[in-house]
């Protein structure tokens, strides 16, 4: 059975489709602009006062405008590609964190931690960081931020993704009960 996609994953796919469409449009516009310069391919300069000057000037202005539109399309395609990459990375990170949380049989508690444990905690919605436990509090862990105390973060137990003690890493708090 196919795996159900999250709204974030569907948004990432839509953004990637948009980026692909804009990239194809930019390529088409670039080729069109290149073709418009065909009249000037031999290097013939514009000759003021010549009977062909006005039409050559208009043709060059049109080709320049088409080139500008192609460049704008290319920039829009690049921006859309970046947005699509960010949306996919965000969706993947959220999915990974949600999977880690879903596999737990019970929530983390203060009794699951000791000073010196290494913990991986969710910092933002889509990222995590690893710290050493400095203090185990009733509702939070005080983590060693490495700045001598002034930057020690506190994180709630529901933000903990894994704990490592004596080289053994667990992601489910119930696994630590047997150890």
């Amino acid at each position: 059975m196919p795996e159900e996609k999250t709204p974030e994953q569907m948004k990432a796919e839509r953004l990637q489709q948009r980026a692909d469409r804009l990239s194809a449009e930019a390529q088409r516009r670039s080729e069109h602009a290149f073709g418009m310069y065909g009249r000037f391919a031999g290097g013939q300069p514009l000759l003021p006062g010549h009977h062909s000057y006005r039409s050559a000037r208009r043709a060059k202005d049109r080709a320049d405008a088409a080139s500008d539109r192609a460049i704008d399309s290319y920039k829009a395609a690049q921006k859309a590609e970046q947005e699509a990459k960010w949306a996919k990375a965000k969706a993947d990170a959220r999915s990974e964190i949600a999977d880690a949380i879903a596999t737990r049989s019970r929530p983390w508690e203060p009794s699951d931690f000791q000073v010196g444990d290494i913990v991986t905690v969710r910092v933002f919605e889509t990222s995590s960081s690893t710290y050493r436990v400095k203090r185990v509090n009733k509702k939070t862990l005080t983590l060693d931020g490495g700045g001598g105390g002034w930057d020690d973060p506190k994180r709630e137990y529901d933000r903990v993704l894994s704990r490592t003690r004596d080289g053994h890493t667990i992601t489910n708090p119930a696994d630590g009960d047997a150890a």
Side-chain angles (χ1 to χ4, degrees):
M1 187 155 78
E3 186 176 318
E4 186 91 12
K5 293 185 180 176
T6 66
E8 289 92 6
Q9 290 170 331
M10 291 188 299
K11 179 181 177 181
E13 286 181 5
R14 283 192 311 272
L15 287 173
Q16 185 60 52
Q17 290 169 354
R18 179 176 180 266
D20 293 343
R21 189 175 61 250
L22 286 173
S23 181
E25 179 184 346
Q27 181 66 30
R28 182 189 57 77
R29 285 180 182 242
S30 177
E31 290 169 0
H32 176 70
F34 183 75
M36 292 178 80
Y37 282 111
R39 176 176 182 174
F40 308 102
Q44 175 68 37
L46 298 179
L47 303 171
H50 192 267
H51 69 89
S52 65
Y53 179 74
R54 285 178 49 199
S55 68
R57 176 88 257 164
R58 277 194 310 273
K60 184 169 181 332
D61 290 345
R62 276 192 230 106
D64 289 345
S67 291
D68 290 344
R69 286 191 300 273
I71 290 168
D72 291 343
S73 294
Y74 178 72
K75 287 178 182 177
Q78 282 184 319
K79 183 178 179 186
E81 184 70 33
Q82 287 301 107
E83 289 173 359
K85 284 181 182 179
W86 167 245
K88 180 165 178 14
K90 187 176 179 180
D92 291 347
R94 279 187 177 184
S95 177
E96 189 176 311
I97 289 171
D99 290 346
I101 291 170
T103 59
R104 294 185 191 153
S105 57
R106 67 171 179 81
W108 291 101
E109 299 171 348
S111 61
D112 295 322
F113 300 95
Q114 296 175 1
V115 172
D117 286 347
I118 305 295
V119 293
T120 300
V121 294
R122 184 171 41 90
V123 180
F124 297 107
E125 290 181 75
T126 60
S127 65
S128 60
S129 290
T130 303
Y131 297 96
R132 184 175 303 279
V133 174
K134 193 171 187 179
R135 189 174 317 125
V136 179
N137 307 311
K138 185 176 179 181
K139 295 181 181 179
T140 62
L141 289 172
T142 301
L143 306 168
D144 187 1
W150 68 272
D151 67 342
D152 292 342
K154 289 187 176 185
R155 296 288 180 260
E156 295 81 16
Y157 291 107
D158 64 346
R159 295 175 75 109
V160 175
L161 299 174
S162 69
R163 180 202 77 200
T164 303
R165 182 185 299 157
D166 300 327
H168 182 67
T169 301
I170 60 169
T171 57
N172 184 359
D175 294 343
D177 295 340

